[in-house]
Amino acid sequence: MGPEAPKGDGNGNGNGDTIKGRHETPEERADRRWIELMQEIRVAQTGVQILLGFLLTVVFTPRFAQLPDSDRIIYIVTVSLGAAATGALIGPVSFHRMVAGRRIKPRAVIWASRLTFVGLLLLLATMGAALLLVLRVATGASYVPWLVIALILWCLLCWFVLPLWVRRRHTSDDR
């Protein structure tokens, strides 16, 4: 006699002996996680590409020649961070293309997820540097670095701290 089928629908809805989670093979799980990751990357890619596109045009404006060296350095760092973020966030697409059909999708999903995480960190750094540059040029105010730090902390809270807190609070040991 084979193993008994779990009771309930697999989502905690049943009559006591339910198994939480999905009933999927490792390949099905990798496929689902890949699709979810690609949807997430599309959002981040759009943001970083628009930001980088605008940054690349700044050098061609008349005002750029008047920027002090410190602002030019911030600009170079910002563009470099934006390019690195773009590379990291497009990396999973290339990664998938290079390993497709090799039956290693579960590993590819892990590496693509890591690249995405690095890309998000680089995107945050790009946003911070871009805000610093724009607000310095726009206002010249001494409070600008503090405002940028506050905005970066806000993004850290929204992008990383809150999700990690929810994951820790609502993930059981018996996944």
Side-chain angles (χ1 to χ4, degrees), residues 19-31:
I19 297 174
K20 292 182 181 179
R22 300 172 190 264
H23 300 286
E24 55 191 6
T25 67
E27 292 80 15
E28 290 169 335
R29 182 172 191 252
D31 287 341

Side-chain angles (χ1 to χ4, degrees), residues 121-133:
L121 289 173
L122 289 166
L123 175 57
L124 180 58
T126 304
M127 285 178 38
L131 284 170
L132 180 63
L133 178 62

Side-chain angles (χ1 to χ4, degrees), residues 87-167:
L89 291 170
I90 292 175
V93 175
S94 176
F95 197 101
H96 181 263
R97 197 49 22 227
M98 298 290 198
V99 302
R102 306 275 183 192
R103 299 187 182 274
I104 58 171
K105 188 174 263 182
R107 299 301 302 161
V109 169
I110 291 168
W111 281 101
S113 181
R114 290 174 181 164
L115 277 172
T116 303
F117 184 78
V118 169
L120 290 173
L121 289 173
L122 289 166
L123 175 57
L124 180 58
T126 304
M127 285 178 38
L131 284 170
L132 180 63
L133 178 62
V134 168
L135 295 174
R136 278 174 53 108
V137 171
T139 69
S142 61
Y143 64 81
V144 165
W146 298 107
L147 178 59
V148 171
I149 289 169
L151 292 167
I152 289 171
L153 289 173
W154 171 252
C155 290
L156 281 170
L157 178 71
C158 294
W159 294 8
F160 300 107
V161 175
L162 183 60
L164 289 172
W165 177 77
V166 169
R167 182 174 88 174

